[in-house]
Amino acid sequence: MLLKLLFFAVIVTCVIIFFGRYKKMNDEQKRKALWRAGVGAFLGVLVLLVMFQKMHWIGAAIAALIPFLRNAYGLVAQILPFWLQHKKTQQSQNTQQEQSPPATSPNNMAITEAQDILGLTGDIYKGDITVAMVQDAHRRLIQKLHPDRGGNDYLAAKINQARDSLLKILKS
């Protein structure tokens, strides 16, 4: 009973200190403080439940991970549009392949699309784009988006296809 009374006194003291500081904060600081206080209270309740043997420690550890899922949501929100675009492109390619027989090799890509993928501007036929420019743009992109460095096969294939298409035009 004395232990419960001691915990109650500590909690009341923490709440009084929190509200004293809370009044002096601006809106952004208040939002962050409320978030931290909520997480702290949640974790405190978990510790109390484990201490008084009302919850198993493994369940408390799993529950303690819940606030950190907020960061995972942000990561998923950033990656999801790219994944959906990739799936949409993949589905449209599958339907096109089913509807029509393959007319050309996959290396034939529109010049403007290849330039957009590699981030090049200018007229390739007037000499605004050189072989070195194509190779540099390819190297810069493939270093960032290679599957071995966290990219995916689809983007790497598109970058390689764009390079091959432009080099084919420049060498002919």
Side-chain angles (χ1 to χ4, degrees):
M1 180 70 181
L2 186 60
L3 187 60
K4 290 180 183 178
L5 188 60
L6 180 65
F7 280 125
F8 180 73
V10 169
I11 290 172
V12 169
T13 306
C14 289
V15 168
I16 291 171
I17 291 171
F18 174 76
F19 280 115
R21 292 181 182 176
Y22 183 77
K23 292 178 183 177
K24 299 175 185 175
M25 296 179 185
N26 63 29
D27 290 338
E28 180 65 24
Q29 290 174 333
K30 284 181 179 180
R31 187 182 66 79
K32 287 182 181 178
L34 283 176
W35 173 253
R36 287 183 182 151
V39 169
F42 180 70
L43 294 175
V45 167
L46 291 176
V47 168
L48 287 175
L49 288 173
V50 170
M51 286 179 61
F52 293 117
Q53 298 179 354
K54 300 293 183 187
M55 183 178 209
H56 195 273
W57 69 270
I58 294 176
I62 292 171
L65 294 176
I66 292 173
F68 301 106
L69 293 178
R70 177 179 176 218
N71 294 337
Y73 172 74
L75 180 63
V76 169
Q78 290 176 351
I79 294 174
L80 186 62
F82 296 112
W83 183 75
L84 290 175
Q85 182 181 8
H86 170 67
K87 282 297 195 187
K88 184 178 177 183
T89 306
Q90 202 174 33
Q91 288 175 348
S92 66
Q93 286 177 350
N94 288 343
T95 56
Q96 286 176 357
Q97 288 176 356
E98 291 172 2
Q99 293 174 355
S100 62
T104 59
S105 69
N107 289 340
N108 292 340
M109 177 184 278
I111 296 170
T112 55
E113 182 184 2
Q115 288 177 324
D116 289 342
I117 289 172
L118 294 178
L120 299 172
T121 57
D123 189 357
I124 194 165
Y125 295 110
K126 291 183 180 177
D128 294 340
I129 298 174
T130 64
V131 172
M133 290 170 64
V134 171
Q135 290 172 340
D136 287 342
H138 174 267
R139 187 177 304 112
R140 178 177 37 84
L141 283 174
I142 205 69
Q143 284 177 348
K144 293 178 184 175
L145 300 172
H146 194 273
D148 291 344
R149 293 187 176 211
N152 61 41
D153 294 331
Y154 174 77
L155 292 176
K158 279 296 202 186
I159 294 168
N160 289 334
Q161 187 179 2
R163 177 204 57 197
D164 294 342
S165 296
L166 292 178
L167 289 178
K168 182 179 176 182
I169 292 169
L170 287 170
K171 292 182 179 178
S172 62

